[in-house]
Every structure is written in structure tokens, then in C-alpha cells.
Amino acid sequence: MTDIQFEDNIELILHGSKDGLKTIYDEYVKIVFSLVFCIMGHQQDAEDVTSDVFIKLWDKAETYHFGGKHKPWIMAIARNTAIDALRKENHIVAIDEMEEPEEEIQSSLESQICNKIPLENACSHLNPVELQIVTMHVLGDISFKDLSKIFQKPLGTVAWIYRKAINKLRRYDYD
């Protein structure tokens, strides 16, 4: 879905039409569920939170900045909703802040590796932040620059976490 198509659907939502939400849901439910599942760790919880994400999208449609990128906005809502759900259950995991030099990395080989890994296997080998970054970058096609805004980390840190995660997956013989 292009940014223009997304904005058209947001307009429909703002005018009270559920067709706009349905179109967005159909397009993004798989990637939202994947991200939420990586954070939640349980299918039933992930399904519940995924539903909550689209309810929040409906409620927060007026906060979308037209002319911007829609995927990072959706992924930020999904990530924040899942983390909020974990906090409510008191299961939040502390995540270390890491600083590394800037380095932007992209490889079609990495995308191929990530696309053929069963989600459950990847979840067992990567820490939550690594898994979120890989999921959002590969499946959601979110740039490192946008990920750095979502995670509120420097660009280099996000790229380094991504590289570290890809190297872990390679060690587990996924390529």
C-alpha cells in the first residue's frame, strides 16, 4: 500500500467509514501480528493485542501526519501497544542501551534468510529488541532511520543491533 492509498483510507476512517480500517487491516494484519507476537511471545496474547492495535489506529487516525510515512506510524502503534500490554502484566523485560558507531547495512541475502526462518525459531534465538528490529526492517520494510525514531536510539545503534541479530541467525545455520 502506498502512502497515498493509506492516506485515502485514513480519510475514510476520519469520516467514520469502517471500509478504510478494513483495507488497512487486510494489508497490515500479518506484519502487525508478527511484530506483536515477537514482543508478547504467546499467540493468544498476540492476537488480542493485534486487535487492540487496529482499534487504536481507528482512535488515533486524526494524529496521523499526512505526507509522512505510514509504515513506521503503524509499527510504532503496534510496538507501543504490545509493550503496554506487557507492562500491565508486569512481564516487561529490561533492554540494555547500546552505543556503537553509525553503519547502515542492507543485504538481499539477509532478507532471504529472514524470510525463510520460522517465526518461533527466530524468537528463541534473538532478544526482544533484535527480533523487533529484524521483523520491522525485513517484513515491514521500515528503514533504519525510521527504526531509530521508533526505538529512540541512534541510527548506528539500530543498524548494529540488526547486524548482530542477522549474524546470530547465520550461526544457527539459517542460510
Side-chain angles (χ1 to χ4, degrees):
M1 176 178 294
T2 67
D3 288 327
I4 301 288
Q5 292 169 324
F6 184 81
E7 290 176 1
D8 291 343
N9 286 299
I10 289 292
E11 284 289 340
L12 290 172
I13 291 171
L14 291 173
H15 290 97
S17 172
K18 293 181 182 175
D19 291 338
L21 183 63
K22 181 184 181 325
T23 303
I24 293 170
Y25 177 88
D26 291 343
E27 181 75 21
Y28 292 105
V29 68
K30 289 180 183 178
I31 182 65
V32 167
F33 175 80
S34 296
L35 175 61
V36 170
F37 180 79
C38 291
I39 295 169
M40 301 300 295
H42 300 297
Q43 183 173 347
Q44 184 62 43
D45 292 340
E47 289 170 356
D48 293 343
V49 171
T50 298
S51 297
D52 291 344
V53 167
F54 289 98
I55 291 168
K56 280 190 178 181
L57 190 141
W58 175 272
D59 293 339
K60 295 180 177 252
E62 73 278 353
T63 66
Y64 178 72
H65 298 291
F66 286 83
K69 295 180 180 179
H70 69 279
K71 286 182 185 178
W73 185 72
I74 293 172
M75 294 297 106
I77 291 172
R79 180 177 183 270
N80 293 340
T81 303
I83 289 171
D84 288 346
L86 282 177
R87 284 185 180 137
K88 285 179 185 174
E89 296 176 8
N90 294 321
H91 291 131
I92 193 71
V93 177
I95 299 167
D96 295 332
E97 291 287 327
M98 297 177 277
E99 294 290 330
E100 288 294 318
E102 276 194 29
E103 172 183 348
E104 185 143 339
I105 303 148
Q106 178 64 18
S107 165
S108 62
L109 174 62
E110 292 163 358
S111 295
Q112 291 170 5
I113 290 168
C114 293
N115 286 329
K116 70 180 184 180
I117 298 171
L119 189 57
E120 295 81 11
N121 290 345
C123 288
S124 68
H125 296 300
L126 301 178
N127 72 43
V129 171
E130 291 170 340
L131 192 54
Q132 291 170 41
I133 288 173
V134 169
T135 300
M136 292 170 82
H137 182 68
V138 174
L139 298 178
D141 198 29
I142 308 291
S143 70
F144 289 130
K145 182 178 177 183
D146 290 333
L147 286 170
S148 75
K149 291 176 188 172
I150 292 169
F151 285 88
Q152 299 177 350
K153 294 182 182 292
L155 177 64
T157 300
V158 171
W160 180 79
I161 292 169
Y162 176 79
R163 170 59 58 205
K164 187 173 103 176
I166 292 299
N167 287 336
K168 276 185 185 179
L169 294 175
R170 283 187 178 137
R171 275 186 299 222
Y172 289 105
D173 199 30
Y174 289 118
D175 51 352

